[in-house]
């Protein structure tokens, strides 16, 4: 068996490393495919220079596992363990209930490895596309403390809370975007298909067209010409270039930094990140996970690169003896109230409870902000659609007055 060094990128864009044992590069490829890992490089670990084979699994069809699937897995496994079902039997039952092929493969492999004496946490580490560092750390802490059922239950609640926060963000961002897309589609449909019909009528009547109507007619002709193909192509190229730019560390950092400055939405993103940070750190701390490892895990699950960099930098400060609240205060990525409550928790020795209270507060803030934004955006979107449709109709009916004058 030969050790192979593998680098890959997680769903959140983080670079990760993995060492696997295989007889040959081909065997290593098969093992990676089985685990659902999209590898960037594959190098023999004993090689002095990185001259190993590089490949991409572009045809990998098995996607990652959603947070809700992980939460459901943790909840069911917790109930089985709490009921006294042996861990091997529990894993086998969970395997038969999984719809995801990748998840079933992982559970099959885990059952075999645990049966051979491997710990559950170590067997999970071999499936990074199924189990993230947060899940693995809590499972290992539960195994070490003999409270695996409680830890799994806590993990399920934490994952559900994270999924709820993500859905709230998607809902707040998705509603205006959906309505805007519909409004643009209605406008284009009326401009391309409705206006030409009126244009023929106006030509037959010989009426003098108002400036606004003439502009709409010119726009209709432009959209029905070959220009529309160049426009669609330009939009497609622009979207592709943006995705390529966002895939780079500099591009992602710039976009994430800009997103925090967007009115209303930037504040919502910050509150969501604060709630997720505090809830996850509190859960890890209660489970007995070391603070430096906890900060590394929290950094990995943070979707905003700017906030993730701040947590990583704070982790370095904490390793040198700086209090967490003081390290985060310098970074200016979390609200002052959250930092102050963290400082109080450090002073009183109740950091876990204080982080939980901060998470509760900002989760309520996120829910209230999303509700307020939705209530505010609904009439705005309705007015926007009305203005778009009304503009087209107005352009079509304005010439009627000239027609009536011409008839007189």
């Amino acid at each position: 068996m030969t050790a192979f060094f593998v680098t890959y990128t997680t769903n959140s864009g983080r670079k990760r490393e993995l060492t696997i044992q295989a007889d040959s590069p081909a065997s290593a490829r098969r093992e990676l495919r089985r685990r659902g890992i999209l590898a960037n490089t594959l190098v023999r670990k004993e090689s002095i220079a990185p001259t190993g084979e590089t490949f991409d699994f572009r045809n990998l069809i098995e996607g990652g596992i959603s947070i809700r699937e992980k939460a459901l897995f943790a909840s069911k496994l917790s109930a089985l363990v709490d009921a006294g079902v042996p861990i091997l039997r529990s894993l086998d039952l969970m395997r038969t209930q999984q719809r995801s092929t990748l998840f079933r493969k992982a559970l099959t492999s885990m059952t075999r490895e645990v049966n051979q004496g491997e710990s559950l946490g170590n067997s999970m580490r071999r499936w990074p596309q199924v189990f993230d560092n947060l899940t693995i750390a809590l499972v290992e802490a539960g195994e070490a403390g003999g409270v695996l059922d409680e830890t799994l239950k806590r993990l399920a609640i934490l994952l559900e809370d994270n999924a709820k926060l993500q859905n709230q963000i998607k809902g707040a961002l998705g509603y205006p975007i959906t309505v805007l897309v519909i409004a643009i589609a209605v406008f284009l449909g009326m401009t391309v298909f409705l206006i030409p019909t009126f244009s023929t009528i106006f030509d037959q009547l010989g009426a003098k067209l108002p400036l606004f109507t003439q502009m709409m007619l010119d726009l209709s002709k432009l959209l029905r010409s070959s220009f529309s193909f160049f426009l669609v192509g330009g939009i497609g190229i622009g979207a592709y270039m943006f995705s390529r730019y966002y895939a780079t560390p500099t591009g992602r950092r710039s976009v994430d930094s800009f997103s925090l400055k967007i009115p209303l939405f930037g504040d919502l993103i910050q509150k969501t990140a604060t709630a997720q940070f505090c809830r996850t750190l509190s859960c890890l701390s209660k489970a007995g996970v070391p603070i430096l490892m906890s900060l590394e895990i929290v950094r990995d699950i943070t979707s905003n690169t700017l906030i993730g960099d701040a947590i990583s930098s704070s982790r370095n400060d904490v390793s040198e003896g700086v209090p967490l609240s003081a390290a985060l205060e310098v970074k200016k990525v979390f609200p002052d109230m959250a930092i102050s409550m963290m400082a109080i928790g450090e002073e009183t020795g109740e950091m876990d409870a204080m982080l939980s209270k901060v998470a509760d507060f900002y989760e309520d803030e996120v829910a209230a902000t999303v509700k307020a934004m939705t209530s505010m955006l609904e009439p705005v979107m309705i007015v926007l659609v009305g203005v778009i449709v009304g503009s087209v109709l107005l352009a079509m009916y304005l010439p009627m007055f000239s027609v009536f004058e011409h008839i007189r």
Side-chain angles (χ1 to χ4, degrees):
M1 298 289 283
T2 305
F4 291 91
F5 182 76
V6 180
T7 63
Y8 64 98
T9 305
T10 64
N11 294 332
S12 60
R14 303 283 183 183
K15 300 293 184 181
R16 287 290 175 267
E17 300 173 351
L18 177 68
T19 300
I20 63 173
Q21 299 287 335
D23 295 326
S24 64
S27 300
R29 294 192 195 97
R30 288 193 295 270
E31 176 66 16
L32 290 171
R33 286 196 194 96
R34 191 174 66 86
R35 298 186 189 183
I37 297 177
L38 181 65
N40 297 326
T41 60
L42 174 69
V43 182
R44 291 182 184 273
K45 197 169 183 181
E46 65 269 18
S47 299
I48 299 176
T51 57
E53 182 181 0
T54 302
F55 62 94
D56 288 324
F57 295 117
R58 299 302 181 189
N59 297 324
L60 191 66
I61 59 175
E62 295 175 336
I65 308 301
S66 67
I67 295 181
R68 192 163 298 279
E69 287 180 295
K70 296 177 184 178
L72 187 61
F73 166 78
S75 180
K76 289 183 178 180
L77 186 59
S78 170
L80 290 171
V81 173
D82 186 45
V85 180
I87 187 65
L88 288 175
R89 177 60 177 162
S90 299
L91 290 174
D92 188 59
L93 289 173
M94 295 298 300
R95 178 186 60 80
T96 59
Q97 298 176 9
Q98 286 298 328
R99 297 181 179 179
S100 170
T101 304
L102 181 61
F103 217 142
R104 284 201 304 271
K105 289 181 179 179
L107 291 175
T108 301
S109 175
M110 289 165 54
T111 303
R112 182 176 63 254
E113 291 166 358
V114 171
N115 188 40
Q116 294 174 354
E118 189 73 77
S119 67
L120 182 61
N122 285 339
S123 63
M124 283 182 170
R125 286 190 181 277
R126 295 185 172 88
W127 295 90
Q129 293 298 94
V130 178
F131 303 104
D132 52 25
N133 290 336
L134 172 63
T135 301
I136 295 170
L138 286 175
V139 168
E140 288 179 340
E143 286 182 307
V147 288
L148 182 60
D149 55 339
E150 295 180 10
T151 306
L152 287 170
K153 190 179 300 181
R154 190 177 300 152
L155 173 64
I157 296 174
L158 176 61
L159 293 176
E160 286 287 351
D161 289 339
N162 288 342
K164 181 180 178 181
L165 284 173
Q166 289 185 1
N167 290 335
Q168 287 177 331
I169 284 287
K170 291 177 181 178
L173 296 176
Y175 175 76
I177 292 175
T178 302
V179 175
L180 183 61
V181 169
I182 293 175
I184 294 175
V186 171
F187 174 76
L188 292 176
M190 296 181 70
T191 303
V192 173
F193 299 105
L194 180 62
I195 290 181
T197 302
F198 281 83
S199 176
T200 304
I201 298 174
F202 296 152
D203 291 338
Q204 293 175 352
L205 294 175
K208 183 178 180 181
L209 301 179
L211 177 61
F212 184 63
T213 302
Q214 188 61 54
M215 290 174 59
M216 292 298 295
L217 290 174
D218 293 339
L219 178 61
S220 177
K221 292 178 181 178
L222 186 64
L223 292 176
R224 286 183 287 115
S225 66
S226 58
F227 172 78
S228 58
F229 295 100
F230 292 103
L231 179 62
V232 173
I235 294 174
I237 293 174
Y240 173 76
M241 294 300 293
F242 176 79
S243 65
R244 296 288 296 176
Y245 175 70
Y246 187 69
T248 63
T250 303
R252 180 162 186 167
R253 190 171 289 105
S254 300
V255 174
D256 289 347
S257 177
F258 174 75
S259 66
L260 292 174
K261 300 175 183 178
I262 301 175
L264 297 179
F265 292 104
D267 183 58
L268 179 62
I269 293 173
Q270 185 189 47
K271 290 178 179 178
T272 303
T274 303
Q276 188 180 45
F277 171 82
C278 293
R279 179 70 67 193
T280 306
L281 189 60
S282 173
C283 186
L284 290 168
S285 181
K286 286 180 182 178
V289 181
I291 182 63
L292 294 180
M293 182 184 295
S294 299
L295 289 174
E296 183 178 357
I297 293 172
V298 175
R299 178 202 64 192
D300 291 341
I301 67 173
T302 301
S303 57
N304 189 285
T305 307
L306 191 68
I307 296 177
D309 291 343
I311 296 174
S312 180
S313 178
S314 299
R315 178 182 180 276
N316 296 332
D317 295 338
V318 171
S319 65
E320 297 176 358
V322 179
L324 177 60
S325 58
L328 289 173
E329 186 178 10
V330 179
K331 307 305 182 294
K332 302 295 182 182
V333 294
F334 292 128
D336 292 337
M337 193 194 79
I339 300 298
S340 299
M341 294 182 71
M342 288 182 201
I344 295 173
E346 289 175 327
E347 293 172 2
T348 59
E350 299 290 337
M351 188 65 167
D352 301 343
M354 191 60 69
L355 285 171
S356 182
K357 291 179 180 179
V358 174
D360 290 337
F361 174 79
Y362 281 102
E363 284 172 0
D364 293 339
E365 282 283 297
V366 169
T369 302
V370 169
K371 184 177 180 180
M373 288 178 61
T374 304
S375 301
M376 180 183 66
L377 288 173
E378 281 181 357
V380 173
M381 292 293 104
I382 292 174
V383 170
L384 177 62
V385 174
V387 169
I388 291 176
V389 176
S391 298
V392 177
L393 295 178
L394 181 63
M396 296 301 95
Y397 282 99
L398 276 178
M400 296 301 179
F401 298 103
S402 299
V403 171
F404 293 151
E405 292 293 332
H406 183 71
I407 294 175
R408 290 179 183 177

